[in-house]
C-alpha cells in the first residue's frame, strides 16, 4: 500500500466515523462539530484528488462561515432532546427511501467505469484552480451569472422576510452624530459681571 | 552535508526535513510571541509614562520566561458541568490554525515551507478556522460570561472576515496571483510600487479588520473585562489559558506579516538603490512586521473600546461597501491604459 492509498483510507475512515457521529450524537452541538470534522476531512480527500481550489473553498465557506452560524444557532436554542426523538418511526420510511436513492446514485458514480465513463489522469503542470476559472468564465458564464443573481435575490428575500421596523425603538444616527457642530450643543451666554460687594450682600 | 543526511535517513528524509523546517518556523515564532508580550507591556508602559516590567533579568528581559514558567506550574481547573472533552479541545483548535497558516508564509523568495499557488486562499481558510476555538471554549465552559464572549466574538469574526476577504481580492487582482511570493515580486521597485498606495483603502480596511479578527483592542468586546470578566476564556487557567494567549499573539504576528507581504512589499527595500539593497531582505521584512505590530500596541494604548453595535456598523456598513467600491475601481483601471497605476 503506497502512501497515497494510506492517506485516502485513513481520511475515509475519519470521514465515515464523523458522518456517523453527525446522526448518532445525542447533543446537537456535538453533532454539528462532527459535521465540521466531516467537511474538513472531505476537503483533505479533495486535495488528494488535486482539486485544491474546491477543497480550500469548502473549508473557507462551509467550515469557516456556514458551520459557525449553524453552531451559533444550535448553541442558542434551548433544545429538548426527548422531544427531538419523537416520531422516529413515523419518519423512517421516508428516510429509508431517500437513503436508498442516495445509495443508488453513489453506486452509479463509483462504478461509473462500467457505464462507459473514464477518469483521465491530468498532466504535470495542471492547475485545477486555473481550469475551473477558465471554464466558469467562458463556457459556463451565463449559468454562472444566473446562479449569482438567484443567490443575490435569496439574500435580499431573506433580509426582507426577517426585517421588521418597530416604531418605538431608540437608535442612534451616526451620521448626525459625526456632523454635529459646537453651536448645536453649547450655547455661549454673555452675562454682566456682578460687583463683588453686591454679591456678598445678596448671599446674606 | 544535506546529501550525507539524505543517505543516512533514506526514505525518512522527506518527513524529517519537513519537520526541521517546521521547527525552524515555529520556534522563532514562539520566541517572537513571548517577546511581543514583553514589547507590549513596555510600549504601553512608555505611552502611559510608566516603566513596565523591570524586575526579572536585565530591564525585565526575562519576564516572558518567568510568566511562561508560572503558567506551566498552575493547575488547570475544569469547571463542574463543563463539557470536558471540548473544554480541553478548544485551546488546541485555537492554536492549530494559527500555526498552520504559517506553512505558506514566505520569508524571502526561496525561504518558504510550501510555495503553493492558492496561498492566499489557504491562509484565509486557516484563519477562518480559529473561530471554533473561541466558540467551543465559550460553550464548553458552562458559564454565562464565557458564552456571551464567544457569541460576540463569533459574530465579530464572521463579519470582519468578509471585509478582509474583499481586501485580499483587490490584492490578487492587482498582482494577478494568489501565490504570496508572486504577490511580493509584483511590488518590486520601491515604496511607490508597493500596494499600500494604489490600494490604500483596502490596506486600511485589511489592517483594521485584522485587529478585529484577532480580538484586539479597540475591538476586544469578546473579552471586555468591564462587562463579561474575561469573555470566552474566563474559566481557563494555567497552560490552557496560555495556549489561548499564544494563539492570539501568533495571529497578531500573522496579520502583521501578511500586511507587510501584501501591501508593504515584503522583503523589498524602501528604494532599490545601493545602500538600501545591501540590507538583507529578511531584515526589511522583519522591520515592516515590527512596525505593523507597533500599530497594534499603539491602538491598544490609545483608543477606548468600541461598543458592540458600533463594531457591527463599522464592519457591515462601512468596510464592506468601501472594499466593494475599490474592487470595482481597480477592475476598471485594469481595463484602461492606466493599468500601470495598479500594475
Amino acid at each position: 500500500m503506497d502512501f497515497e492509498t494510506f492517506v485516502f483510507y485513513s481520511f475515509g475512515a475519519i470521514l465515515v466515523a464523523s458522518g456517523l457521529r453527525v446522526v448518532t450524537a445525542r447533543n446537537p452541538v456535538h453533532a454539528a462539530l462532527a459535521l465540521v470534522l466531516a467537511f474538513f476531512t472531505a476537503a483533505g480527500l479533495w486535495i488528494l484528488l488535486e482539486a485544491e481550489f474546491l477543497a480550500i473553498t469548502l473549508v473557507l465557506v462551509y467550515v469557516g462561515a456556514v458551520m459557525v452560524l449553524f453552531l451559533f444557532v444550535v448553541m442558542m436554542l434551548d433544545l429538548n432532546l426527548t422531544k427531538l426523538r419523537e416520531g422516529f418511526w413515523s419518519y423512517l420510511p421516508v428516510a429509508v427511501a431517500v437513503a436508498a436513492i442516495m445509495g443508488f446514485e453513489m453506486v452509479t458514480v463509483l462504478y461509473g467505469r462500467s457505464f462507459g465513463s473514464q477518469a483521465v489522469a491530468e498532466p504535470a503542470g495542471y492547475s485545477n484552480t486555473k481550469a475551473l476559472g477558465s471554464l466558469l468564465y467562458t463556457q459556463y458564464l451565463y449559468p454562472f451569472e444566473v446562479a449569482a443573481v438567484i443567490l443575490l435575490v435569496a439574500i435580499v428575500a431573506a433580509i426582507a422576510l426577517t426585517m421588521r421596523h418597530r416604531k418605538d425603538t431608540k437608535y442612534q444616527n451616526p451620521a448626525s452624530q459625526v456632523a454635529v457642530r459646537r453651536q448645536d450643543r453649547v450655547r455661549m451666554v454673555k452675562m454682566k459681571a456682578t460687583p463683588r460687594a453686591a454679591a456678598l450682600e445678596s448671599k446674606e | 552535508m544535506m546529501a550525507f543526511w539524505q543517505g543516512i535517513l533514506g526514505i525518512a528524509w522527506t518527513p524529517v526535513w519537513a519537520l526541521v523546517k517546521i521547527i525552524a518556523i515555529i520556534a522563532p515564532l514562539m520566541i517572537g510571541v513571548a517577546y511581543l508580550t514583553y514589547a507590549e507591556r513596555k510600549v504601553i508602559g512608555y505611552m502611559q509614562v510608566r516603566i513596565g516590567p523591570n524586575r526579572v533579568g536585565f530591564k525585565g528581559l526575562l519576564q516572558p520566561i518567568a510568566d511562561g514558567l508560572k503558567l506551566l506550574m498552575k493547575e488547570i481547573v475544569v469547571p463542574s458541568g463543563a463539557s470536558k472533552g471540548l473544554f480541553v479541545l478548544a485551546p488546541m483548535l485555537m492554536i492549530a490554525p494559527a500555526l498552520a497558516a504559517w506553512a505558506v508564509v514566505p520569508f524571502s523568495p526561496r525561504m518558504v515551507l510550501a510555495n503553493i499557488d492558492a496561498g492566499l486562499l489557504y491562509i484565509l481558510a486557516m484563519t477562518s478556522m480559529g473561530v471554533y476555538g473561541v466558540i467551543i471554549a465559550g460553550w464548553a465552559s458552562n458559564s454565562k460570561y464565557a458564552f456571551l464572549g464567544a457569541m460576540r466574538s463569533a459574530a465579530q469574526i464572521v463579519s470582519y472576515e468578509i471585509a478582509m476577504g474583499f481586501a485580499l481580492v483587490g490584492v490578487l487582482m492587482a498582482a494577478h496571483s494568489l501565490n504570496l511570493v508572486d504577490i511580493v515580486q509584483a511590488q518590486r521597485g520601491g515604496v511607490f510600487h508597493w500596494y499600500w498606495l494604489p490600494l490604500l483603502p483596502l490596506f486600511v480596511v485589511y489592517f483594521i479588520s485584522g485587529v478585529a479578527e484577532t480580538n484586539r483592542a479597540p475591538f476586544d468586546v469578546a473579552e471586555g473585562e468591564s462587562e463579561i470578566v474575561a469573555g470566552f476564556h474566563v474559566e481557563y487557567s494555567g497552560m490552557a489559558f496560555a495556549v489561548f494567549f499564544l494563539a492570539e499573539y501568533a495571529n497578531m504576528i500573522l496579520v502583521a506579516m501578511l500586511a507587510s507581504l501584501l501591501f508593504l512589499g515584503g522583503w523589498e527595500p524602501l528604494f532599490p538603490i545601493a545602500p538600501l539593497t545591501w540590507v538583507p531582505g529578511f531584515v526589511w521584512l522583519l522591520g515592516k512586521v515590527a512596525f505593523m505590530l507597533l500599530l497594534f500596541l499603539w491602538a491598544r494604548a490609545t483608543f477606548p473600546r468600541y461598543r458592540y453595535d458600533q463594531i457591527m456598523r463599522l464592519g457591515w456598513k462601512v468596510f464592506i461597501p468601501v472594499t466593494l467600491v475599490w474592487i470595482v475601481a481597480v477592475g476598471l483601471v485594469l481595463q484602461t491604459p492606466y493599468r500601470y497605476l495598479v500594475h
Side-chain angles (χ1 to χ4, degrees):
Chain A
M1 187 162 69
D2 62 340
F3 186 65
E4 214 164 284
T5 328
F6 169 73
V7 172
F8 174 78
Y9 278 112
S10 42
F11 272 53
I14 299 173
L15 181 58
V16 170
S18 56
L20 280 175
R21 282 296 290 160
V22 175
V23 285
T24 55
R26 281 173 171 273
N27 193 324
V29 173
H30 293 173
L33 288 173
L35 189 54
V36 171
L37 181 61
F39 278 141
F40 202 76
T41 336
L45 282 177
W46 284 1
I47 284 189
L48 211 60
L49 291 172
E50 297 179 18
E52 74 277 349
F53 181 79
L54 283 179
I56 295 177
T57 318
L58 180 72
V59 172
L60 189 62
V61 175
Y62 280 89
V63 178
V66 174
M67 286 313 294
V68 173
L69 297 179
F70 242 80
L71 264 182
F72 206 87
V73 173
V74 168
M75 284 178 178
M76 298 279 247
L77 293 177
D78 188 20
L79 287 168
N80 189 345
L81 289 181
T82 47
K83 215 170 184 182
L84 274 180
R85 290 176 176 277
E86 272 173 22
F88 177 78
W89 293 108
S90 59
Y91 290 129
L92 194 63
V94 184
V96 167
V98 171
I101 293 172
M102 279 166 72
F104 170 72
E105 286 173 350
M106 268 150 105
V107 167
T108 47
V109 171
L110 290 177
Y111 290 95
R113 290 218 185 108
S114 47
F115 290 88
S117 74
Q118 279 286 337
V120 190
E122 299 297 346
Y126 169 79
S127 166
N128 173 263
T129 314
K130 204 173 255 174
L132 205 66
S134 58
L135 263 188
L136 266 187
Y137 287 100
T138 53
Q139 196 174 342
Y140 295 105
L141 181 65
Y142 288 116
F144 182 66
E145 298 281 328
V146 168
V149 170
I150 291 174
L151 280 176
L152 182 68
V153 170
I155 295 171
V156 174
I159 295 174
L161 281 175
T162 51
M163 191 140 94
R164 349 171 248 153
H165 277 294
R166 274 176 57 183
K167 288 279 182 297
D168 55 338
T169 44
K170 290 179 178 153
Y171 60 92
Q172 293 161 328
N173 184 352
S176 70
Q177 281 180 325
V178 171
V180 81
R181 296 261 152 261
R182 190 187 61 190
Q183 292 85 349
D184 307 334
R185 296 285 161 89
V186 182
R187 190 162 52 95
M188 299 292 276
V189 183
K190 274 261 186 285
M191 291 184 80
K192 233 182 216 166
T194 324
R196 190 178 156 79
L200 277 176
E201 248 168 54
S202 65
K203 228 180 199 173
E204 283 165 12
Chain B
M1 176 71 187
M2 248 168 160
F4 168 72
W5 281 108
Q6 219 161 345
I8 286 186
L9 290 167
I11 196 164
W13 165 252
T14 317
V16 168
W17 180 232
L19 206 63
V20 168
K21 286 195 276 193
I22 289 171
I23 292 170
I25 293 174
I26 299 290
L29 178 65
M30 285 294 125
I31 296 170
V33 165
Y35 279 90
L36 181 57
T37 65
Y38 174 77
E40 175 170 39
R41 294 167 72 177
K42 275 287 188 194
V43 166
I44 293 179
Y46 173 73
M47 288 180 181
Q48 297 170 344
V49 204
R50 296 184 283 114
I51 295 173
N54 67 339
R55 287 289 162 216
V56 192
F58 175 69
K59 301 248 180 202
L61 270 173
L62 296 180
Q63 184 70 47
I65 296 170
D67 286 343
L69 275 178
K70 186 192 82 172
L71 285 167
L72 265 177
M73 310 276 226
K74 286 212 166 185
E75 184 190 357
I76 298 177
V77 183
V78 180
S80 62
S83 180
K84 203 173 172 195
L86 290 180
F87 187 80
V88 179
L89 190 70
M92 300 179 204
L93 276 181
M94 185 96 176
I95 197 155
L99 296 182
W102 284 87
V104 296
V105 171
F107 300 94
S108 77
R110 295 191 56 241
M111 263 164 63
V112 50
L113 182 62
N115 190 3
I116 61 172
D117 273 340
L120 206 55
L121 262 183
Y122 170 83
I123 284 188
L124 263 182
M126 279 301 125
T127 47
S128 70
M129 295 279 299
V131 65
Y132 283 102
V134 176
I135 298 187
I136 294 174
W139 185 78
S141 298
N142 192 28
S143 151
K144 303 185 206 36
Y145 297 123
F147 191 57
L148 281 174
M151 287 291 136
R152 287 181 179 193
S153 170
Q156 179 180 327
I157 291 179
V158 170
S159 336
Y160 277 85
E161 217 168 63
I162 303 170
M164 208 171 188
F166 279 145
L168 298 184
V169 168
V171 173
L172 79 91
M173 282 168 74
H176 296 296
S177 176
L178 280 168
N179 184 312
L180 287 162
V181 177
D182 291 350
I183 290 174
V184 174
Q185 274 166 355
Q187 302 178 55
R188 198 172 277 162
V191 61
F192 297 113
H193 291 260
W194 299 349
Y195 286 150
W196 69 274
L197 196 59
L199 306 178
L200 188 61
L202 299 184
F203 176 44
V204 173
V205 167
Y206 176 78
F207 182 67
I208 299 178
S209 306
V211 177
E213 286 269 288
T214 48
N215 281 327
R216 296 285 303 175
F219 300 101
D220 56 347
V221 286
E223 42 192 283
E225 58 278 273
S226 54
E227 310 138 34
I228 49 172
V229 198
F232 63 92
H233 56 52
V234 65
E235 303 291 348
Y236 282 86
S237 57
M239 213 47 210
F241 168 74
V243 169
F244 277 119
F245 218 73
L246 285 176
E248 179 178 326
Y249 280 78
N251 274 327
M252 266 169 78
I253 301 180
L254 182 70
V255 168
M257 176 64 100
L258 285 179
S260 319
L261 287 172
L262 302 176
F263 295 100
L264 298 179
W267 49 78
E268 296 291 320
L270 200 59
F271 291 104
I273 45 175
L276 292 175
T277 47
W278 296 342
V279 179
F282 189 64
V283 176
W284 280 110
L285 184 60
L286 272 190
K288 288 166 189 173
V289 172
F291 172 72
M292 297 311 292
L293 285 172
L294 178 69
L295 290 186
F296 267 97
L297 308 183
W298 195 354
R300 177 171 168 194
T302 318
F303 296 123
R305 183 175 295 136
Y306 262 88
R307 220 172 45 217
Y308 184 72
D309 62 309
Q310 291 172 328
I311 290 182
M312 285 298 146
R313 180 178 164 271
L314 186 69
W316 288 99
K317 294 191 179 173
V318 180
F319 281 178
I320 292 177
V322 164
T323 49
L324 282 177
V325 166
W326 208 255
I327 286 173
V328 173
V330 169
L332 289 177
V333 170
L334 283 175
Q335 298 303 319
T336 64
Y338 297 105
R339 73 170 70 96
Y340 64 86
L341 287 174
V342 289
H343 309 277

